[in-house]
Amino acid sequence: MTQAELASRSGMSLSSYKRFEQTGEIAFSSLCRVADILDSLEDIEALFSRKEYTSIQEVTEERRRHRKS
């Protein structure tokens, strides 16, 4: 798929799509439309998934791991 086709299918101008590829800047709604067209919407959904904890110990251990990173 060309840039022009992807931009058109996602409702963006070609210049907006090219700017996204060059700078990484894009409106969230446009990013979701592009991801949907590329069959990658689940990747965006994964960014906002919540982990379910079974104990406070799991929470503190995860926070500790993130601090060390």
Side-chain angles (χ1 to χ4, degrees), residues 32-45:
C32 290
R33 288 192 304 268
V34 170
D36 188 34
I37 290 164
L38 297 175
D39 198 27
S40 298
L41 202 52
E42 65 277 355
D43 294 329
I44 292 177
E45 291 172 349

Side-chain angles (χ1 to χ4, degrees), residues 16-35:
S16 292
Y17 184 78
K18 286 182 175 183
R19 183 175 54 249
F20 162 58
E21 284 196 349
Q22 292 170 354
T23 68
E25 295 178 12
I26 189 170
F28 184 70
S29 58
S30 297
L31 178 63
C32 290
R33 288 192 304 268
V34 170

Side-chain angles (χ1 to χ4, degrees), residues 3-68:
Q3 289 177 324
E5 290 171 322
L6 185 55
S8 176
R9 290 179 61 185
S10 64
M12 300 171 64
S13 67
L14 179 57
S15 61
S16 292
Y17 184 78
K18 286 182 175 183
R19 183 175 54 249
F20 162 58
E21 284 196 349
Q22 292 170 354
T23 68
E25 295 178 12
I26 189 170
F28 184 70
S29 58
S30 297
L31 178 63
C32 290
R33 288 192 304 268
V34 170
D36 188 34
I37 290 164
L38 297 175
D39 198 27
S40 298
L41 202 52
E42 65 277 355
D43 294 329
I44 292 177
E45 291 172 349
L47 292 172
F48 299 99
S49 65
R50 290 183 171 216
K51 182 174 179 180
E52 294 188 26
Y53 298 101
T54 57
S55 70
I56 191 69
Q57 183 177 355
E58 286 183 28
V59 175
T60 56
E61 287 174 1
E62 184 163 326
R63 284 186 178 181
R64 194 173 300 130
R65 281 194 301 271
H66 284 287
R67 287 185 196 141
K68 291 180 181 179

